[in-house]
Amino acid sequence: MHPTDDQAILQDRKIAYVVTDRNLTVIEVSGAASILQNWSESWLGHPLLELVPELMGSEQALAGILADQLPRLQIPLVNRDPQTDGRTTYLTLVDLPRRDATGQITGLIHLIQDVTEIGCLEQRLMQQRNELRLLQDELNRQNLQLAAANTELRRLDELKSAFVSIAAHELRTPLTSIVGYLEMLLDGDAGALNQKQTEYLGTVEASAARLLNIAHDLLDMTRIETGHLELVLETVDLLALANEVIAELSPQLDARTQPLDLHAPASLPCVLCDPLRVAQIMGNLINNASKYSPPGSPISLKLAVSDEPEFIQVSVADQGVGIPDLERAKIFEPFFRASTSALMNANGTGLGLSIARALVELHGGRIWVDSAPDTGTIFQFTLPLVHCPPPPAER
């Protein structure tokens, strides 16, 4: 290879080299001018360690190369002070043994390669890694704070549930007693009442019954939140259960002259459910339909086999004020009450529909609502069906 070819390769790869004798004194310098021009004009005759201070501390390694005990020494990414253009230069330094024609080591070949582009990339990569590590540390810190906050929230939620449960229990016992004595007074067990006394006691009884219902709702909500509400499943004639619920709510519906129509096929299959809880669901939906409908407005209760295989579908429809579009998605949330409640003067805690949804889902069904302002509301839910047991054989 022609010497000019060697120089072309060294220039292209940005490599310069220095040759020393065994005393590490420079005897030859050549290679890429872009590297050499940044240093002393003349290296010849100077000790290599004086010209390349990065080799200080590596004397033992250099001696090992001269003694043919080490093949090479490499120091990567040595950075030099910014040059006139403001850039920091990065160099890779490599020391190799220099041999004569007989193979004897006569000195060192010190290679210098400009790797500024790689060095800058390495620096940016290292900076990004450090930034990523800082972000990871911050994320870990925030996760710990979030975990601590979640633990505290769970503790407070448990305290809240325990308080609500205790308060509801403590309220329910005396309220049950109050309602019982009020019923006895209204029945005349303590003597005849005049019209005004009957009216006053009726108002007290209605208020006490409402408080008792609130206590029951709070207890149910606490059991649902803590996972302690259990169902007693049995095969139930849903049509018969619906008639029982209607009979129980008849006084309330009659007081508002709201007719309730029941639609169901005669051959309706039975359902697998907890009858007390399903009666609670239907009663809640019918009660809501009554409260949010004007006096004289009809209510419809429909039982039918669902389009969903192996399910019965229950629908409660009214022609009341409906639910505003923006509030429909929140209607099953605990303690949420639609803005129309004030319009209809409908009392309540906002727990009924939330409890109804939880009870339906515990049965393996689903509940949904279709409504629009001033067009009425239809609540629908499903329950798993079973085949009714055959009637007992006649003797």
Side-chain angles (χ1 to χ4, degrees):
M1 184 179 291
H2 196 277
T4 56
D5 296 334
D6 296 342
Q7 288 299 319
I9 294 172
L10 294 173
Q11 291 288 349
D12 181 73
R13 307 312 299 171
K14 297 182 180 179
I15 298 174
Y17 68 87
V18 174
V19 179
T20 75
D21 58 18
R22 291 188 64 86
N23 295 321
L24 300 183
T25 301
V26 175
I27 59 175
E28 182 183 344
V29 179
S30 185
S34 60
I35 299 176
L36 297 176
Q37 68 183 3
N38 294 327
W39 298 342
S40 174
E41 295 182 358
S42 176
W43 283 29
L44 296 176
H46 290 274
L48 180 63
L49 295 179
E50 179 183 315
L51 300 171
V52 186
E54 291 81 7
L55 291 176
M56 291 291 186
S58 301
E59 292 88 348
Q60 187 173 354
L62 296 176
I65 295 174
L66 290 172
D68 205 9
Q69 295 173 349
L70 290 177
R72 68 203 304 269
L73 169 67
Q74 178 171 328
I75 305 176
L77 297 177
V78 173
N79 64 301
R80 290 294 171 87
D81 294 335
Q83 306 304 315
T84 55
D85 59 2
R87 292 187 316 119
T88 298
T89 300
Y90 290 91
L91 305 172
T92 290
L93 309 179
V94 178
D95 288 281
L96 302 170
R98 179 174 182 257
R99 300 177 186 273
D100 60 16
T102 64
Q104 296 297 314
I105 295 176
T106 60
L108 295 179
I109 301 174
H110 180 72
L111 300 177
I112 309 148
Q113 183 174 12
D114 187 338
V115 291
T116 299
E117 184 176 350
I118 296 175
C120 290
L121 289 174
E122 287 281 351
Q123 284 297 109
R124 285 199 292 271
L125 182 60
M126 184 179 298
Q127 182 178 357
Q128 290 174 354
R129 284 174 177 166
N130 290 336
E131 291 174 354
L132 184 61
R133 190 176 297 109
L134 290 174
L135 289 173
Q136 184 66 46
D137 292 342
E138 177 64 17
L139 181 61
N140 291 338
R141 185 184 65 80
Q142 292 184 2
N143 284 340
L144 288 174
Q145 291 179 345
L146 183 60
N150 285 336
T151 300
E152 179 64 13
L153 284 175
R154 282 193 295 272
R155 187 185 70 83
L156 293 175
D157 191 58
E158 290 171 359
L159 285 175
K160 179 265 296 179
S161 296
F163 171 77
V164 170
S165 179
I166 293 171
H169 272 293
E170 293 299 318
L171 283 172
R172 188 173 63 172
T173 301
L175 281 171
T176 301
S177 178
I178 290 170
V179 170
Y181 277 106
L182 286 170
E183 290 175 350
M184 292 170 61
L185 288 172
L186 289 169
D187 290 340
D189 291 354
L193 302 173
N194 61 39
Q195 182 178 354
K196 186 64 70 175
Q197 290 171 331
T198 301
E199 180 182 338
Y200 288 167
L201 286 175
T203 301
V204 174
E205 182 189 29
S207 297
R210 187 162 58 250
L211 284 173
L212 189 57
N213 287 333
I214 291 173
H216 287 151
D217 285 347
L218 289 172
L219 281 173
D220 282 345
M221 201 67 214
T222 301
R223 293 189 186 110
I224 289 168
E225 288 179 345
T226 57
H228 292 154
L229 192 147
E230 297 181 356
L231 301 179
V232 181
L233 298 178
E234 55 187 83
T235 300
V236 175
D237 183 341
L238 192 60
L239 179 56
L241 182 62
N243 281 315
E244 292 176 10
V245 173
I246 292 172
E248 185 178 335
L249 294 176
S250 289
Q252 171 188 327
L253 298 174
D254 292 343
R256 294 175 60 83
T257 61
Q258 294 171 326
L260 193 154
D261 297 321
L262 174 60
H263 305 276
S267 58
L268 185 72
C270 292
V271 294
L272 182 65
C273 70
D274 183 328
L276 292 178
R277 293 304 183 178
V278 171
Q280 180 181 352
I281 297 167
M282 286 196 291
N284 180 278
L285 297 180
I286 295 172
N287 184 53
N288 270 3
S290 173
K291 289 193 298 184
Y292 288 93
S293 299
S297 178
I299 298 171
S300 171
L301 174 60
K302 181 180 178 181
L303 314 177
V305 176
S306 173
D307 292 335
E308 299 179 29
E310 304 300 318
F311 279 92
I312 295 292
Q313 186 166 314
V314 181
S315 304
V316 177
D318 64 56
Q319 298 177 15
V321 293
I323 303 170
D325 294 341
L326 296 178
E327 298 180 2
R328 201 176 308 130
K330 303 177 182 178
I331 200 67
F332 292 107
E333 293 180 5
F335 302 105
F336 177 80
R337 303 196 68 209
S339 57
T340 50
S341 60
L343 177 66
M344 298 301 296
N345 196 27
N347 53 45
T349 60
L351 287 175
L353 290 176
S354 176
I355 293 171
R357 180 180 65 176
L359 292 175
V360 169
E361 291 176 351
L362 281 174
H363 281 87
R366 65 186 186 95
I367 187 170
W368 67 98
V369 61
D370 295 308
S371 181
D374 301 320
T375 62
T377 301
I378 304 176
F379 279 96
Q380 302 180 80
F381 66 94
T382 58
L383 295 169
L385 65 80
V386 291
H387 296 291
C388 295
E394 295 183 4
R395 292 186 176 181

